[in-house]
Amino acid sequence: MVSSRFNLRPLCHLTPKGSSAGPPRWPDQSCLTYESYDRFYARAEISPAPAQAPLHAPASWHWHGATSWGKEAQSDKGPAYMTRHLITSAIPYINGIKHLGNLVGSQLPADLYARFQRARGNEVMFLCATDEHGTPAELAASKAGKPVAEYCAEMHDVQAKIADGFRLSFDHFGRSSSPQNHALTQHFAGQLNKAGLIREVSEKQMYSPADSRYLPDRYIEGTCPNCGFESARGDQCDNCTKQLDPTDLLNPRSVISGSTALEERETKHLYLCQSQMRGQLQDWIDSKTDWPVLTTSIAKKWLNDGDGLQDRGITRDLDWGIPVKDGEADWPGMEGKVFYVWFDAPIEYIACASEWAEANGKTEADWQSWWRTDLGADDVRYTQFMGKDNVPFHTLSFPATILGSGEDWKLVDYIKSFNYLNYDGGQFSTSRGRGVFMDQALELLPADYWRWWLLSHAPESSDAEFTWENFQTSVNKDLADVLGNFVSRITKFCRSKFGEEVPAGGSHGPQEQALIAELTTRIRAYEGFMEAMEVRKSAQELRAIWVAGNEYLQSAAPWSTFKTDPEQAAAQVRLGLNLIRLYGVLSAPFIPDAAASLLAAMQTEDDTWPDDIAAALSALPAGHGFTVPEVLFAKISDEEREDWQNRFAGTRD
């Protein structure tokens, strides 16, 4: 179901002015924390709603609410309420298992943000899917010797299992070949046609006599006319990101047979008239002043370079894909053709919500409340995560589809784009089998090792480089020496001197107060970086929070204090054990398995986000039991690092 927490803390409550009354409560004494009484009942599926729900409060009453910063919020428009976050990750191609560069460029930072927003008590819909149409699917299926539909079904299951292994917390992991995406894609095409935004074009397309077929998109490789890259594909150059048509390539060759004896033959296709929407798209992009420079610079380049935004073909001569239709009607002259994968793939974001509803016994209204601004999505904040090569389609083509439909669909509010993660001096590549792939990574080490390194080295401001030496150093220092060492030292010391329970005695002194003050500052900064989706800075701040605990432990030295003042040593240890619980809560978006282990070791299910740090560091009272956990993170030896470096020096079969 959609991830939401209603009882973390009161986000809003209604009281008479001057009253000290607390927030309204349910019979079980948990706080009502949702946007308004009617929406709470609708979403929580609790029935019936109170007959006297104060949806229209008298002027003598006012609403109190805590914002994400923990400050009081007041509004003339009604109660303060938690944000509804719609989050999508660029959907991965079906043509094989993805590498770590794919993971850090979209799915993993999207998961980080989704987990953080859930932890803050917000309602989250996190969607992703497999991109199953186009030439990558056909070529991969052909290589595997399987019918394309069978291949896609199998690879969807493989990718879903690996995503679960990396603890990617999708609310639904869909398929672009779903009936829902077929219907929605054909619907959008019909709406665009009604609006006069689709035109039929007779064009010349590459045909291979050796293969007895037209060669669209990625069935052709050649030299990029823009940068000279010799392995550019027929739809886009992976080196310079320039969008291409197959006829643009120099020295083109068939990917199927390698034949260079290609001829141009005439065929008919549909084009989306993006050029007619250039001004509208320009105004929309200009309004996004908070977007990353990487995102806006790529979008504006495609809008303004050369002759500006060009119309784009949205159909292909392929057997596998969504049949071209004008809504539900046949499209004369388009028989046997399918929609271009980059037309239907972004629409799958919407279709995926419909798939979620079907899979979870929800209604059409449930999923539309996330996507239709006229049906409840007006309060949704929509964030997309993707690599920089996907930016043109998400800032231009997909918005042109949404805007051109003339319907009230939700447009993206923020696009977080990433540069490339390179591998030991070259590029990761799925098609060329170069780098470490997600399944291989999980065979070597648990997911948290990879999650931490990838997120703490996310390629935000520039391309980043994966090296085995850096990976080893980061894991050993950050995870083993800083976090793991703290947990081991304090739990083992407590067990040896006080037993396996939180000790009583003593009180906070200047050192403890200083630590609480430092943690309060750092945790607020951590929240700010996470809200802003500054992934590296978030990781740096989280590490600094871990370091603060180590420095306190080293300075307070309860093993020395115990010799002269056992009660004060108990207070120091009690604070240290509570720090473990706090670290579990704060670290969960980055390293969820380790975080769960920390909470389990502290024998608590209390994962409440810490608004009041002093209170959070007293959550485990004296007498509360705990267990000493197993080694949280094992260090990577030089021998292991050298073995892995040699093992992944070549290409994957």
Side-chain angles (χ1 to χ4, degrees):
M1 59 182 295
V2 179
S3 304
S4 59
R5 297 182 183 180
F6 297 108
N7 300 320
L8 284 178
R9 58 186 182 279
L11 289 182
C12 60
H13 59 274
L14 185 67
T15 60
K17 289 182 180 178
S19 169
S20 60
R25 294 179 179 272
W26 301 118
D28 67 355
Q29 297 302 301
S30 60
C31 294
L32 187 156
T33 63
Y34 211 55
E35 302 160 17
S36 65
Y37 285 60
D38 56 344
R39 176 161 286 178
F40 179 90
Y41 276 92
R43 294 267 161 72
E45 298 177 352
I46 297 173
S47 180
Q52 302 299 320
L55 301 183
H56 302 287
S60 59
W61 291 53
H62 65 254
W63 288 93
H64 297 277
T67 67
S68 60
W69 297 101
K71 298 177 181 177
E72 185 178 271
Q74 297 186 33
S75 171
D76 295 333
K77 297 180 180 179
Y81 56 87
M82 66 177 72
T83 304
R84 300 175 65 215
H85 284 276
L86 174 61
I87 301 169
T88 60
S89 162
I91 65 176
Y93 275 132
I94 198 71
N95 63 331
I97 295 167
K98 303 298 104 175
H99 54 64
L100 297 183
N102 298 132
L103 179 63
V104 76
S106 56
Q107 292 178 322
L108 189 54
D111 180 72
L112 177 76
Y113 189 61
R115 286 178 177 274
F116 171 71
Q117 293 300 342
R118 293 189 191 107
R120 299 308 310 276
N122 292 319
E123 189 178 8
V124 171
M125 173 71 85
F126 179 25
L127 302 173
C128 192
T130 41
D131 185 357
E132 301 187 7
H133 295 137
T135 54
E138 287 195 345
L139 291 172
S142 176
K143 183 178 179 180
K146 296 181 179 179
V148 65
E150 178 184 332
Y151 173 82
C152 288
E154 290 180 4
M155 286 308 302
H156 172 81
D157 291 344
V158 169
Q159 289 201 25
K161 182 178 180 180
I162 294 172
D164 183 63
F166 271 95
R167 304 300 184 252
L168 302 179
S169 58
F170 304 128
D171 287 295
H172 191 74
F173 188 60
R175 302 182 61 186
S176 71
S177 62
S178 68
Q180 290 88 341
N181 198 38
H182 277 236
L184 269 171
T185 298
Q186 291 163 345
H187 169 80
F188 274 108
Q191 290 299 114
L192 292 166
N193 192 36
K194 286 179 187 177
L197 291 171
I198 290 181
R199 62 187 176 93
E200 188 175 296
V201 175
S202 292
E203 62 181 12
K204 291 183 177 180
Q205 186 174 322
M206 292 294 189
Y207 185 87
S208 171
D211 302 308
S212 299
R213 62 174 298 165
Y214 284 101
L215 298 179
D217 311 326
R218 296 197 168 198
Y219 276 89
I220 305 173
E221 287 188 353
T223 301
C224 175
N226 184 55
C227 70
F229 183 57
E230 294 184 353
S231 296
R233 306 180 195 278
D235 61 346
Q236 186 173 11
C237 176
D238 290 339
N239 187 56
C240 70
T241 77
K242 184 173 180 61
Q243 284 184 308
L244 300 168
D245 284 313
T247 53
D248 295 332
L249 294 173
L250 306 176
N251 305 315
R253 59 188 177 276
S254 166
V255 170
I256 301 172
S257 63
S259 173
T260 58
L262 308 181
E263 11 178 287
E264 288 186 342
R265 292 189 182 181
E266 192 164 290
T267 185
K268 289 184 178 181
H269 283 291
L270 301 180
Y271 272 64
L272 176 61
C273 301
Q274 298 180 145
S275 60
Q276 294 184 29
M277 303 188 68
R278 181 181 176 187
Q280 190 176 1
L281 290 167
Q282 180 77 63
D283 291 344
W284 177 67
I285 291 168
D286 287 344
S287 73
K288 303 301 182 181
T289 56
D290 61 333
W291 281 11
V293 173
L294 178 64
T295 301
T296 54
S297 62
I298 293 173
K300 291 179 179 180
K301 174 184 176 183
W302 288 108
L303 267 175
N304 302 315
D305 276 10
D307 295 327
L309 185 62
Q310 300 296 298
D311 295 347
R312 186 72 175 168
I314 61 168
T315 57
R316 292 293 186 268
D317 289 300
L318 290 172
D319 297 325
W320 172 249
I322 297 177
V324 176
K325 286 197 171 187
D326 185 359
E328 296 181 356
D330 291 336
W331 203 310
M334 292 294 117
E335 296 83 3
K337 299 181 189 290
V338 300
F339 284 109
Y340 176 39
V341 63
W342 263 112
F343 181 70
D344 84 75
I347 296 171
E348 168 58 19
Y349 294 141
I350 305 173
C352 189
S354 179
E355 295 170 47
W356 160 82
E358 182 181 90
N360 291 278
K362 302 293 183 180
T363 66
E364 187 171 276
D366 289 323
W367 76 260
Q368 288 183 337
S369 74
W370 287 96
W371 278 106
R372 291 287 301 236
T373 57
D374 57 336
L375 297 173
D378 53 308
D379 63 348
V380 168
R381 178 164 175 80
Y382 178 22
T383 306
Q384 295 175 344
F385 289 80
M386 70 196 66
K388 62 184 178 183
D389 54 327
N390 288 336
V391 168
F393 295 103
H394 288 79
T395 56
L396 301 172
S397 299
F398 186 38
T401 299
I402 295 291
L403 292 168
S405 74
E407 298 177 323
D408 295 313
W409 296 100
K410 176 67 183 174
L411 281 165
V412 67
D413 292 297
Y414 192 87
I415 294 179
K416 175 67 176 181
S417 56
F418 292 85
N419 286 284
Y420 293 141
L421 177 68
N422 295 320
Y423 178 74
D424 264 346
Q427 286 188 330
F428 277 94
S429 174
T430 299
S431 59
R432 295 169 180 83
R434 189 173 192 278
V436 183
F437 289 76
M438 290 171 66
D439 60 333
Q440 296 170 327
L442 292 176
E443 291 171 2
L444 299 182
L445 291 166
D448 282 350
Y449 290 74
W450 302 103
R451 288 178 64 104
W452 174 254
W453 189 92
L454 290 167
L455 291 168
S456 62
H457 293 78
E460 291 177 291
S461 59
S462 62
D463 289 353
E465 180 90 3
F466 177 92
T467 68
W468 288 102
E469 292 84 359
N470 185 288
F471 178 66
Q472 177 191 28
T473 299
S474 181
V475 165
N476 289 355
K477 287 187 175 180
D478 298 347
L479 299 180
D481 288 344
V482 179
L483 180 59
N485 184 55
F486 173 83
V487 173
S488 178
R489 291 173 78 190
I490 194 66
T491 54
K492 289 180 178 178
F493 176 75
C494 184
R495 180 175 63 182
S496 68
K497 301 299 182 184
F498 301 102
E500 290 190 339
E501 66 177 35
V502 177
S507 60
H508 289 173
Q511 280 184 307
E512 289 72 35
Q513 295 298 342
L515 175 64
I516 291 170
E518 179 185 357
L519 289 175
T520 299
T521 299
R522 290 199 175 280
I523 290 170
R524 298 291 89 89
Y526 175 55
E527 292 168 353
F529 291 137
M530 291 285 275
E531 287 284 3
M533 288 165 272
E534 295 191 53
V535 178
R536 280 198 181 205
K537 289 182 179 178
S538 298
Q540 291 165 5
E541 201 62 52
L542 180 58
R543 186 185 188 279
I545 291 168
W546 298 340
V547 168
N550 271 285
E551 291 178 343
Y552 165 76
L553 193 61
Q554 194 63 31
S555 175
W559 43 87
S560 297
T561 308
F562 183 80
K563 298 175 183 177
T564 57
D565 191 348
E567 288 220 343
Q568 188 56 33
Q572 294 167 345
V573 169
R574 188 165 61 252
L575 182 65
L577 294 174
N578 273 282
L579 268 174
I580 294 176
R581 189 201 72 86
L582 180 64
Y583 287 168
V585 173
L586 297 174
S587 305
F590 278 90
I591 46 174
D593 285 349
S597 295
L598 295 181
L599 294 181
M602 293 300 103
Q603 298 181 10
T604 180
E605 296 180 0
D606 180 5
D607 59 357
T608 306
W609 193 266
D611 290 328
D612 182 333
I613 306 308
L617 290 174
S618 301
L620 303 180
H624 183 92
F626 73 91
T627 56
V628 176
E630 298 293 325
V631 175
L632 201 61
F633 291 100
K635 286 192 173 184
I636 297 172
S637 68
D638 290 343
E639 292 75 20
E640 287 175 314
R641 187 251 304 158
E642 291 170 2
D643 175 54
W644 297 339
Q645 195 162 8
N646 292 330
R647 175 177 168 185
F648 294 97
T651 59
R652 182 173 190 164
D653 293 334

